[in-house]
Amino acid sequence: MSVLVFEGFLSTPEMLAVLDKSSIVQAMMDFEAALARAQGRVGVIPQSAAQAIASLCRVELYDIHALMAASAHDGSLAIPVVRRLAETVALFDPAAASFVHLGSTSQDVIDTAQVLLARRGLRLIEDDLLELVGVLLDLADAHPAQPILARTLMQPAQVSSLRFRLASWALPLLRCAQGLRHAADGALQLQFGGAVGTLSALGEKAEAVSQALGAELKLPVPDMPWHSQRDRWVRLCAELGVLCGSLGKLARDVSLLSQAEIGEMAEPEDLPPLGPPSDGLACHEPAGAMPAAPAPSWLKPSAKPAKAGGLDAAHIGLPAGLPLSVRKRSHSRAMPHKRNPVSCMLALAAAQRAPQRVAALLGSMLQEFERGLGGWQAELAESVSLLMHSHGSVRAMLTAMAGITLYPGRMAANIEAQQGLVYSEALTQCLAGVLGRIEAQLLVGQLCDEVLAAHESGAAPVDSPSLRALAQDICARDARLQAGIEPAALAAVFDPQRVAQHADQRVGKALAQARVDLCALLDRPQW
C-alpha cells in the first residue's frame, strides 16, 4: 500500500497534477530547454544546437519510471534526466549533445524546477484562499448583529456576534494570502550558479546567460545563487505552515460548533452539484436555518455556486457524471443519524502535519559550504508536502464555508441556557456606578453562586433562577439600586442584540479594510 494514497487524500487533484512525476520531470526539461535557448541567444552555443536540445525537452519522450529508478542510484533526479536528454539529443544531432546542460549543475535544475512548480501550486492555493476569504466576508455582511455565545478555554464566557467571529476567521486568512505573496517575491527566483555558484564555466558570458535564462522562464535573477542560502525558500514554506494552522483554527471552531450538543452550524450535507439544480433538485434549507451568503460578485462564472453555498464539481475535482446519491457527504452505515464534518477533518489533518514539516525545513537549513549534504534533499520532500496539504486544506474549508448552514435559533438557545451568567461582567459594570466596583463584584458573585447552586442541584431550568431575575429582585429591594438604576438600563445589560451590535461595531472598520485589501489582491494577480 502506497503512502501516497493517504498523502493524496489530504490534497486535491489539481495540486497532485502539478506535483506529478511527469510534471516534475517536465519542469526540469523546461529549465534545460530555456538554458539552451538562452545560451544560443547569447552566442555561447550554436543556435542549431539550442533548437535541437529544446525540441527534445518533452517529457512524453522519456521513460519516467526508469528515470525515477535511476535517481536513487545517482542521488539526484536531475542526473539521469540530463543524461537521458543528452543521449536522446545525440541520436539526432551528435554535435548538439555536448552542449546539453552546459555550465549548469544538478541543483540548478532541481531548484528552478521546484520554483516553477511552486509558482503553479501557489496560484492554485491563492485562487481558493481568496475565494474563501470572500465567502467569509460575505457571510459577515449578510448576518449583522447576530448574537452568539463566545467561549474561552472551551467554556461559555460572554455574548458576542457572528460577524465578530467571522472576522476572526477571515482576517488571518487574508494576512496569509498577503504573506504568501511577500514571501514568494523573495523565494521564487532563478537558481543558476553552476558547480560552486560562480558560473566559472561560462566566463564573461555568465551574467548575460543568467539574464536570458531568467527571461525565458519569467523568473527574477537573484544577486547571487542560493544553493545553500535557504532562508527565502524556507520562509515561503513557513508561510504555508501558518496558512495550514489558520485553516485548522477555522476547521476546529466549525467542527465544534457543528456538534449536535451545540448545533449552531453544519457543513453542507450534499457534495456540490454538477451544475444548476433542476426543479426536482431544488435546495431546501432546514427549518430554522440561515442560508449562506450569495456568491460574491467578483467570482468567475465557472466558480460561482450553483445553489446557495455550492461549488461546481469540477472546481473540487469530482469526476463528472456521478449520480447525486453517490455524492452525499460521509455518513456512518451503523449510525445514519451522524453528519460527519469531513471538510473540517481534512483541514485539521493538514494542520496537524504542517508543524513537523516546517520544523524539518528549519532543521535542513544547516547546509554545508556551497552545497549541503542531506539537508537540501530533505527540504525537497517537505516543501512538496506543504504545498499538497495547504491546497487540500484551503479547498476543504472553501467547500465547507461556501455551503455552511447557520442555525440562529440554536445560537439564541445556547445563550439562553446560560441563565444570564454570561452577562455577569456587564451587570457588575451597571451596579458599580451605584455601589462601587468592589461591592458590585461581591454582589454579582453571590448572585452567580445562587444560579450555579440551583443548576447543580438538578433543578429544572424553568424552576432555576436566572441572573437577570435575581438582579431585578435585588434592584427592587435595595433602595440605593432602586433609586440609581433605571429598569431600562438593567434590561439593556441582558439584551443579546445590543451586545451583538457592539461587537459588530468593534470589527466594522477591520472588515471594511479587509474588503479593500481583498479587492487589491484580486486586482493584481501575482502568478
Side-chain angles (χ1 to χ4, degrees):
M1 183 180 295
S2 172
V3 68
L4 294 180
V5 171
F6 301 104
E7 290 280 353
F9 175 69
L10 300 178
S11 189
T12 64
E14 298 96 321
M15 187 61 79
L16 293 176
V18 168
L19 301 174
D20 179 71
K21 295 176 183 178
S22 296
S23 180
I24 292 171
V25 173
Q26 183 60 64
M28 295 182 183
M29 292 286 185
D30 291 343
F31 173 87
E32 294 296 340
L35 177 61
R37 287 193 294 266
Q39 292 178 336
R41 184 184 310 152
V42 173
V44 173
I45 69 175
Q47 282 285 358
S48 59
Q51 293 172 1
I53 295 169
S55 68
L56 294 171
C57 289
R58 304 199 311 274
V59 69
E60 64 269 19
L61 301 177
Y62 302 91
D63 184 342
I64 299 298
H65 297 293
L67 293 173
M68 295 294 163
S71 69
H73 176 269
D74 292 323
S76 167
L77 179 58
I79 293 174
V81 167
V82 171
R83 182 172 60 238
R84 193 71 186 98
L85 173 60
E87 292 170 353
T88 305
V89 172
L91 296 175
F92 299 91
D93 188 340
S98 63
F99 297 116
V100 170
H101 195 64
L102 181 65
S104 186
T105 189
S106 60
Q107 188 169 3
D108 293 338
V109 182
I110 292 179
D111 275 348
T112 302
Q114 189 171 34
V115 166
L116 295 173
L117 296 170
R119 184 167 63 183
R120 292 169 55 194
L122 288 169
R123 184 186 302 120
L124 293 174
I125 291 170
E126 183 181 270
D127 285 349
D128 282 352
L129 179 56
L130 295 184
E131 190 173 337
L132 173 57
V133 172
V135 166
L136 292 171
L137 294 180
D138 285 350
L139 283 168
D141 288 345
H143 304 303
Q146 172 59 51
I148 63 166
L149 182 61
R151 299 167 175 88
T152 60
L153 303 182
M154 302 289 287
Q155 303 301 309
Q158 291 185 354
V159 174
S160 182
S161 73
L162 179 59
R163 179 175 286 180
F164 194 95
R165 180 170 285 157
L166 287 162
S168 76
W169 292 339
L171 297 185
L173 297 177
L174 180 59
R175 291 193 291 269
C176 284
Q178 295 166 328
L180 281 172
R181 283 202 179 187
H182 180 72
D185 284 341
L188 301 186
Q189 300 193 54
L190 176 70
Q191 179 72 286
F192 185 52
V196 297
T198 62
L199 287 177
S200 58
L202 297 177
E204 63 182 17
K205 298 281 191 179
E207 184 62 24
V209 172
S210 295
Q211 295 299 328
L213 178 55
E216 285 281 344
L217 296 171
K218 296 182 174 58
L219 290 175
V221 179
D223 294 334
M224 66 178 296
W226 42 283
H227 289 153
S228 57
Q229 300 174 33
R230 312 308 290 184
D231 56 305
R232 289 175 295 197
W233 184 260
V234 172
R235 189 172 289 112
L236 172 60
C237 293
E239 287 288 350
L240 291 173
V242 172
L243 172 61
C244 287
S246 297
L247 290 163
K249 185 270 190 294
L250 170 59
R252 180 76 76 194
D253 285 354
V254 172
S255 61
L256 290 172
L257 293 170
S258 300
Q259 294 179 106
E261 298 89 337
I262 298 177
E264 295 182 6
M265 57 183 60
E267 287 188 13
E269 187 171 15
D270 290 342
L271 285 171
L274 299 176
S278 66
D279 293 339
L281 295 177
C283 175
H284 299 287
E285 295 290 347
M290 183 182 292
S297 58
W298 44 262
L299 286 185
K300 301 182 292 294
S302 62
K304 287 186 178 180
K307 66 175 185 179
L311 297 172
D312 62 65
H315 191 64
I316 62 167
L318 289 175
L322 283 179
L324 184 63
S325 60
V326 176
R327 295 183 289 106
K328 287 282 188 181
R329 294 300 267 178
S330 175
H331 284 282
S332 168
R333 281 183 173 272
M335 297 170 286
H337 61 281
K338 290 180 63 183
R339 186 168 175 178
N340 296 326
V342 176
S343 293
C344 291
M345 176 188 72
L346 296 175
L348 287 168
Q352 289 170 347
R353 291 172 62 93
Q356 292 86 344
R357 270 133 189 77
V358 174
L361 285 163
L362 292 170
S364 72
M365 293 181 71
L366 313 181
Q367 299 191 19
E368 302 80 12
F369 306 115
E370 283 65 54
R371 180 167 300 117
L373 177 66
W376 172 55
Q377 293 77 10
E379 174 195 292
L380 295 172
E382 301 299 347
S383 55
V384 165
S385 292
L386 278 169
L387 284 169
M388 291 172 58
H389 298 155
S390 296
H391 195 223
S393 181
V394 70
R395 175 64 59 79
M397 293 318 297
L398 173 58
T399 300
M401 299 312 297
I404 199 75
T405 300
L406 305 175
Y407 296 97
R410 287 298 295 269
M411 296 175 190
N414 288 336
I415 294 172
E416 188 66 25
Q418 304 310 311
Q419 299 290 87
L421 293 172
V422 289
Y423 301 103
S424 59
E425 183 183 51
L427 179 59
T428 299
Q429 292 284 96
C430 179
L431 301 183
V434 176
L435 303 178
R437 176 162 300 277
I438 294 178
E439 185 177 352
Q441 286 177 332
L442 291 173
L443 176 58
V444 172
Q446 292 170 1
L447 298 179
C448 288
D449 287 343
E450 189 174 339
V451 174
L452 290 169
H455 173 73
E456 291 169 359
S457 69
V462 294
D463 299 325
S464 300
S466 68
L467 184 60
R468 178 174 185 171
L470 294 177
Q472 290 172 332
D473 180 65
I474 196 69
C475 286
R477 290 188 289 106
D478 187 292
R480 295 174 299 167
L481 295 175
Q482 188 178 38
I485 297 178
E486 294 291 332
L490 184 61
V493 168
F494 296 92
D495 181 2
Q497 201 73 26
R498 181 192 64 83
V499 179
Q501 288 172 350
H502 172 76
D504 280 7
Q505 291 171 1
R506 295 294 301 155
V507 293
K509 183 178 178 180
L511 286 171
Q513 185 60 50
R515 182 70 73 178
V516 171
D517 293 343
L518 175 61
C519 290
L521 292 173
L522 290 164
D523 290 342
R524 295 195 305 272
Q526 178 87 346
W527 298 289

